[in-house]
Amino acid sequence: MPNFQTARIFSDNMVMQFGKPLSVFGTGVDGTKITVSITGEEAAQTATIVKNGRWLAMLPPQPAQDCVELTVTDGQDTAVFRNVAMGAVWLAGGQSNMELELQNCNTGRESLENDDTPNVRFYYTMKKSIADDSFFESEQQMGWCDFSNKESAKCWSAVGYYFAKELSERLGVVVGIIGCNWGGTSASAWLKREYADGETAIYFDEYDKAVEGKSLEQLKQEYLDYQQYHAEWERKSAEYYNNTPDPTWDGCLEYCGENKYPGPPSPLNPMSPGVLHKSMVERVAPYTMTGVIWYQGESDDHRPEMYYKLLSQMIRCWRDDWSDDDLFFVIGQLPMHKWSADEDRKNWCVIREAQARICRTVQNTALAVLTDCGEYNEIHPKDKKTPGHRFCLAALNGFYHVEFTDDTDDEPGFSTFSPEVYDPLWNTDSVDVFVSTGMSLEVRGGTGELTGFELMSPDGEWHKAQAEISGRDSWNAGEGTEILHITGVEFPCGVRYLWTNYTDDIPLFDSENGVPLPPFIFTKPGYQG
């Protein structure tokens, strides 16, 4: 074994972030001098000393380029990483809709067979919830791969791939994606305990109460027992659904027994708060990168009212992990979803509004609107090319300040990446909502009607409302601004649009780039409900 090691994310074929100071880090023997050098258009060298078993060296920013070499040595042992590209690095984070593999989306097999994508590379953070001996053995097998390695590429995040493919084409640089996601996880799993302040501390408080008085070995064994039970339950569940006409959830439970998912609180359980921050985020931070594309929120729908605070705290935590206050986040707004047997609890509406609010109030964030990307009775929509495109539009406009339209392959045009809603004007019998768009709003769908609008009367009740796109001239509004004139209630005290967990009737889109108008809700200032 060498006296030092670099973090596993450093490997041949990696992508390093161009235009930013580069962090190179790893472990070693205290007091050892580590020298790091890079060759390329602008060769550079730096050195650091190992302290408390860890070291971190910073190289100066490099221009975008290919075929760079990175060399790290402690004077006795040397590691040389070849075929390094200086490009744009993004982390693809979240839960199962970000995790869904390229081979399993509806365009994946065609892409794997026909795409020629030389400028996208991928690193998957190992999915293991606790750092035992097998953790480090398995991690040694991880490394950066490009799209020519189809066995690797088929397991990439589909959203991450389509985002990176389009971004590399638009920017003309290699794009590296760090996959760091796990299906079914709350944002609390990706958060350090000390950042859960106030009401969100309940995630950690509940965990503490559940594990109180139990030894580490007992907690581990309970989770291993659960895994064995759940594997058998999954086998029987597949058997039931494959062999039963008109299967039901109740019938499945009767056949299979209790569904104990997600299992008992345990440091082995990836659903436990803080676990994946420790076992995954801390394995890749602070690898220098542009930002994060984040697709998550489904597993926090039992506490939608605190999601704004929870996700804000996670963003703050990650920016501190990377020592980068400008680390950019593109937040995917949840699509429409409803299980056929569920009532519309409107909890996903609150999650969507929290995601939009973050992008209005937290600097260096952007919203990727995905409301039209859902499927009825399916929580894992198979179209991942559209979400990848929306994340790319948001990154281009929000971070790179490049504006593109769907009609333009090469040339920038006048376009926002999604319509943006501003505070409304409250009238006696109507509400006027101002919308910033690329060019204009257009109505899509079979009926051609503006549906999905509601107004709240002074008694707090919501009522179906009529809406029309009002002329700009009456308000002296400039190009790229639309006014929605909404009527149907006297003395309206609230207005909202698409406030439902699921509908397939999404009427309003930006005419230039096809991004839907995001759902919104406003309450009249001073209203006491």
PDB file of all heavy atoms in Angstrom, residues 166 168-172 389 396 402-413:
ATOM      1  N   GLU A 166     -26.671  17.136 -23.936  1.00  0.00           N
ATOM      2  CA  GLU A 166     -27.073  18.411 -24.528  1.00  0.00           C
ATOM      3  C   GLU A 166     -26.149  19.538 -24.083  1.00  0.00           C
ATOM      4  O   GLU A 166     -25.781  20.402 -24.887  1.00  0.00           O
ATOM      5  CB  GLU A 166     -28.521  18.739 -24.161  1.00  0.00           C
ATOM      6  CG  GLU A 166     -29.006  20.034 -24.797  1.00  0.00           C
ATOM      7  CD  GLU A 166     -30.478  20.312 -24.577  1.00  0.00           C
ATOM      8  OE1 GLU A 166     -31.179  19.457 -23.995  1.00  0.00           O
ATOM      9  OE2 GLU A 166     -30.930  21.401 -24.989  1.00  0.00           O
ATOM     10  N   SER A 168     -22.989  19.400 -23.269  1.00  0.00           N
ATOM     11  CA  SER A 168     -21.696  19.326 -23.963  1.00  0.00           C
ATOM     12  C   SER A 168     -21.811  19.835 -25.392  1.00  0.00           C
ATOM     13  O   SER A 168     -20.905  20.486 -25.909  1.00  0.00           O
ATOM     14  CB  SER A 168     -21.155  17.897 -23.943  1.00  0.00           C
ATOM     15  OG  SER A 168     -21.930  17.033 -24.768  1.00  0.00           O
ATOM     16  N   GLU A 169     -22.955  19.550 -26.032  1.00  0.00           N
ATOM     17  CA  GLU A 169     -23.160  20.028 -27.399  1.00  0.00           C
ATOM     18  C   GLU A 169     -23.302  21.544 -27.429  1.00  0.00           C
ATOM     19  O   GLU A 169     -22.800  22.207 -28.339  1.00  0.00           O
ATOM     20  CB  GLU A 169     -24.399  19.360 -27.996  1.00  0.00           C
ATOM     21  CG  GLU A 169     -24.224  17.857 -28.237  1.00  0.00           C
ATOM     22  CD  GLU A 169     -25.532  17.148 -28.551  1.00  0.00           C
ATOM     23  OE1 GLU A 169     -26.606  17.799 -28.428  1.00  0.00           O
ATOM     24  OE2 GLU A 169     -25.495  15.952 -28.893  1.00  0.00           O
ATOM     25  N   ARG A 170     -24.006  22.097 -26.429  1.00  0.00           N
ATOM     26  CA  ARG A 170     -24.230  23.540 -26.387  1.00  0.00           C
ATOM     27  C   ARG A 170     -22.948  24.308 -26.064  1.00  0.00           C
ATOM     28  O   ARG A 170     -22.672  25.356 -26.646  1.00  0.00           O
ATOM     29  CB  ARG A 170     -25.283  23.864 -25.322  1.00  0.00           C
ATOM     30  CG  ARG A 170     -26.658  23.277 -25.562  1.00  0.00           C
ATOM     31  CD  ARG A 170     -27.372  23.933 -26.730  1.00  0.00           C
ATOM     32  NE  ARG A 170     -28.820  23.739 -26.641  1.00  0.00           N
ATOM     33  CZ  ARG A 170     -29.685  24.161 -27.538  1.00  0.00           C
ATOM     34  NH1 ARG A 170     -29.250  24.794 -28.616  1.00  0.00           N
ATOM     35  NH2 ARG A 170     -30.979  23.955 -27.371  1.00  0.00           N
ATOM     36  N   LEU A 171     -22.154  23.784 -25.114  1.00  0.00           N
ATOM     37  CA  LEU A 171     -20.979  24.511 -24.639  1.00  0.00           C
ATOM     38  C   LEU A 171     -19.709  24.150 -25.392  1.00  0.00           C
ATOM     39  O   LEU A 171     -18.722  24.886 -25.342  1.00  0.00           O
ATOM     40  CB  LEU A 171     -20.770  24.257 -23.150  1.00  0.00           C
ATOM     41  CG  LEU A 171     -21.888  24.697 -22.194  1.00  0.00           C
ATOM     42  CD1 LEU A 171     -21.507  24.378 -20.753  1.00  0.00           C
ATOM     43  CD2 LEU A 171     -22.196  26.180 -22.352  1.00  0.00           C
ATOM     44  N   GLY A 172     -19.705  22.993 -26.047  1.00  0.00           N
ATOM     45  CA  GLY A 172     -18.509  22.567 -26.758  1.00  0.00           C
ATOM     46  C   GLY A 172     -17.389  22.100 -25.851  1.00  0.00           C
ATOM     47  O   GLY A 172     -16.205  22.226 -26.210  1.00  0.00           O
ATOM     48  N   HIS A 389     -33.471  17.626 -20.759  1.00  0.00           N
ATOM     49  CA  HIS A 389     -33.481  18.853 -21.561  1.00  0.00           C
ATOM     50  C   HIS A 389     -33.860  20.055 -20.690  1.00  0.00           C
ATOM     51  O   HIS A 389     -33.244  21.125 -20.796  1.00  0.00           O
ATOM     52  CB  HIS A 389     -34.482  18.686 -22.700  1.00  0.00           C
ATOM     53  CG  HIS A 389     -34.764  19.934 -23.467  1.00  0.00           C
ATOM     54  ND1 HIS A 389     -33.804  20.631 -24.165  1.00  0.00           N
ATOM     55  CD2 HIS A 389     -35.918  20.645 -23.634  1.00  0.00           C
ATOM     56  CE1 HIS A 389     -34.340  21.687 -24.743  1.00  0.00           C
ATOM     57  NE2 HIS A 389     -35.623  21.728 -24.421  1.00  0.00           N
ATOM     58  N   LEU A 396     -28.188  26.347 -18.597  1.00  0.00           N
ATOM     59  CA  LEU A 396     -27.681  27.266 -19.615  1.00  0.00           C
ATOM     60  C   LEU A 396     -28.079  28.697 -19.306  1.00  0.00           C
ATOM     61  O   LEU A 396     -27.262  29.619 -19.382  1.00  0.00           O
ATOM     62  CB  LEU A 396     -28.221  26.867 -20.994  1.00  0.00           C
ATOM     63  CG  LEU A 396     -27.576  25.654 -21.665  1.00  0.00           C
ATOM     64  CD1 LEU A 396     -28.396  25.228 -22.874  1.00  0.00           C
ATOM     65  CD2 LEU A 396     -26.148  25.966 -22.083  1.00  0.00           C
ATOM     66  N   VAL A 402     -26.657  31.705 -21.026  1.00  0.00           N
ATOM     67  CA  VAL A 402     -26.845  31.503 -22.456  1.00  0.00           C
ATOM     68  C   VAL A 402     -28.327  31.255 -22.674  1.00  0.00           C
ATOM     69  O   VAL A 402     -28.934  30.450 -21.973  1.00  0.00           O
ATOM     70  CB  VAL A 402     -26.035  30.296 -22.966  1.00  0.00           C
ATOM     71  CG1 VAL A 402     -26.333  30.030 -24.436  1.00  0.00           C
ATOM     72  CG2 VAL A 402     -24.543  30.540 -22.761  1.00  0.00           C
ATOM     73  N   GLU A 403     -28.913  31.939 -23.654  1.00  0.00           N
ATOM     74  CA  GLU A 403     -30.334  31.778 -23.930  1.00  0.00           C
ATOM     75  C   GLU A 403     -30.512  31.077 -25.261  1.00  0.00           C
ATOM     76  O   GLU A 403     -29.985  31.517 -26.280  1.00  0.00           O
ATOM     77  CB  GLU A 403     -31.038  33.140 -23.934  1.00  0.00           C
ATOM     78  CG  GLU A 403     -30.971  33.820 -22.567  1.00  0.00           C
ATOM     79  CD  GLU A 403     -31.539  35.214 -22.595  1.00  0.00           C
ATOM     80  OE1 GLU A 403     -31.497  35.846 -23.673  1.00  0.00           O
ATOM     81  OE2 GLU A 403     -32.011  35.673 -21.547  1.00  0.00           O
ATOM     82  N   PHE A 404     -31.263  29.962 -25.247  1.00  0.00           N
ATOM     83  CA  PHE A 404     -31.503  29.211 -26.463  1.00  0.00           C
ATOM     84  C   PHE A 404     -32.995  28.965 -26.621  1.00  0.00           C
ATOM     85  O   PHE A 404     -33.732  28.912 -25.650  1.00  0.00           O
ATOM     86  CB  PHE A 404     -30.791  27.854 -26.428  1.00  0.00           C
ATOM     87  CG  PHE A 404     -29.299  27.947 -26.521  1.00  0.00           C
ATOM     88  CD1 PHE A 404     -28.520  28.030 -25.381  1.00  0.00           C
ATOM     89  CD2 PHE A 404     -28.681  27.960 -27.754  1.00  0.00           C
ATOM     90  CE1 PHE A 404     -27.140  28.115 -25.458  1.00  0.00           C
ATOM     91  CE2 PHE A 404     -27.299  28.039 -27.838  1.00  0.00           C
ATOM     92  CZ  PHE A 404     -26.530  28.116 -26.702  1.00  0.00           C
ATOM     93  N   THR A 405     -33.417  28.776 -27.840  1.00  0.00           N
ATOM     94  CA  THR A 405     -34.780  28.342 -28.104  1.00  0.00           C
ATOM     95  C   THR A 405     -34.718  26.982 -28.774  1.00  0.00           C
ATOM     96  O   THR A 405     -33.698  26.576 -29.320  1.00  0.00           O
ATOM     97  CB  THR A 405     -35.511  29.323 -29.030  1.00  0.00           C
ATOM     98  OG1 THR A 405     -34.964  29.222 -30.343  1.00  0.00           O
ATOM     99  CG2 THR A 405     -35.371  30.756 -28.525  1.00  0.00           C
ATOM    100  N   ASP A 406     -35.823  26.275 -28.757  1.00  0.00           N
ATOM    101  CA  ASP A 406     -35.861  24.960 -29.382  1.00  0.00           C
ATOM    102  C   ASP A 406     -35.667  25.031 -30.896  1.00  0.00           C
ATOM    103  O   ASP A 406     -35.280  24.061 -31.531  1.00  0.00           O
ATOM    104  CB  ASP A 406     -37.195  24.263 -29.078  1.00  0.00           C
ATOM    105  CG  ASP A 406     -37.169  23.565 -27.724  1.00  0.00           C
ATOM    106  OD1 ASP A 406     -36.089  23.497 -27.125  1.00  0.00           O
ATOM    107  OD2 ASP A 406     -38.228  23.099 -27.276  1.00  0.00           O
ATOM    108  N   ASP A 407     -35.933  26.186 -31.481  1.00  0.00           N
ATOM    109  CA  ASP A 407     -35.834  26.316 -32.930  1.00  0.00           C
ATOM    110  C   ASP A 407     -34.430  26.662 -33.394  1.00  0.00           C
ATOM    111  O   ASP A 407     -34.179  26.806 -34.573  1.00  0.00           O
ATOM    112  CB  ASP A 407     -36.799  27.408 -33.418  1.00  0.00           C
ATOM    113  CG  ASP A 407     -38.249  27.044 -33.127  1.00  0.00           C
ATOM    114  OD1 ASP A 407     -38.545  25.846 -33.132  1.00  0.00           O
ATOM    115  OD2 ASP A 407     -39.049  27.959 -32.885  1.00  0.00           O
ATOM    116  N   THR A 408     -33.499  26.837 -32.461  1.00  0.00           N
ATOM    117  CA  THR A 408     -32.170  27.312 -32.814  1.00  0.00           C
ATOM    118  C   THR A 408     -31.125  26.326 -32.329  1.00  0.00           C
ATOM    119  O   THR A 408     -31.021  26.069 -31.148  1.00  0.00           O
ATOM    120  CB  THR A 408     -31.902  28.690 -32.183  1.00  0.00           C
ATOM    121  OG1 THR A 408     -32.988  29.546 -32.527  1.00  0.00           O
ATOM    122  CG2 THR A 408     -30.614  29.289 -32.691  1.00  0.00           C
ATOM    123  N   ASP A 409     -30.382  25.747 -33.245  1.00  0.00           N
ATOM    124  CA  ASP A 409     -29.368  24.770 -32.870  1.00  0.00           C
ATOM    125  C   ASP A 409     -28.089  25.433 -32.388  1.00  0.00           C
ATOM    126  O   ASP A 409     -27.438  24.958 -31.477  1.00  0.00           O
ATOM    127  CB  ASP A 409     -29.045  23.863 -34.060  1.00  0.00           C
ATOM    128  CG  ASP A 409     -30.224  22.975 -34.424  1.00  0.00           C
ATOM    129  OD1 ASP A 409     -31.018  22.664 -33.522  1.00  0.00           O
ATOM    130  OD2 ASP A 409     -30.339  22.614 -35.606  1.00  0.00           O
ATOM    131  N   ASP A 410     -27.716  26.537 -33.017  1.00  0.00           N
ATOM    132  CA  ASP A 410     -26.398  27.113 -32.754  1.00  0.00           C
ATOM    133  C   ASP A 410     -26.442  28.520 -32.172  1.00  0.00           C
ATOM    134  O   ASP A 410     -25.575  28.900 -31.397  1.00  0.00           O
ATOM    135  CB  ASP A 410     -25.591  27.172 -34.065  1.00  0.00           C
ATOM    136  CG  ASP A 410     -25.462  25.808 -34.712  1.00  0.00           C
ATOM    137  OD1 ASP A 410     -25.055  24.866 -34.014  1.00  0.00           O
ATOM    138  OD2 ASP A 410     -25.758  25.713 -35.904  1.00  0.00           O
ATOM    139  N   GLU A 411     -27.435  29.287 -32.580  1.00  0.00           N
ATOM    140  CA  GLU A 411     -27.414  30.698 -32.248  1.00  0.00           C
ATOM    141  C   GLU A 411     -28.240  30.992 -31.005  1.00  0.00           C
ATOM    142  O   GLU A 411     -29.341  30.477 -30.850  1.00  0.00           O
ATOM    143  CB  GLU A 411     -27.966  31.515 -33.419  1.00  0.00           C
ATOM    144  CG  GLU A 411     -27.163  31.355 -34.701  1.00  0.00           C
ATOM    145  CD  GLU A 411     -25.745  31.850 -34.532  1.00  0.00           C
ATOM    146  OE1 GLU A 411     -25.536  32.829 -33.803  1.00  0.00           O
ATOM    147  OE2 GLU A 411     -24.837  31.248 -35.133  1.00  0.00           O
ATOM    148  N   PRO A 412     -27.744  31.830 -30.108  1.00  0.00           N
ATOM    149  CA  PRO A 412     -28.552  32.234 -28.970  1.00  0.00           C
ATOM    150  C   PRO A 412     -29.726  33.087 -29.426  1.00  0.00           C
ATOM    151  O   PRO A 412     -29.629  33.824 -30.399  1.00  0.00           O
ATOM    152  CB  PRO A 412     -27.589  33.044 -28.103  1.00  0.00           C
ATOM    153  CG  PRO A 412     -26.486  33.438 -29.005  1.00  0.00           C
ATOM    154  CD  PRO A 412     -26.409  32.411 -30.084  1.00  0.00           C
ATOM    155  N   GLY A 413     -30.843  32.974 -28.721  1.00  0.00           N
ATOM    156  CA  GLY A 413     -32.013  33.770 -29.042  1.00  0.00           C
ATOM    157  C   GLY A 413     -32.598  34.354 -27.780  1.00  0.00           C
ATOM    158  O   GLY A 413     -32.095  34.131 -26.685  1.00  0.00           O
TER     159      GLY A 413
END
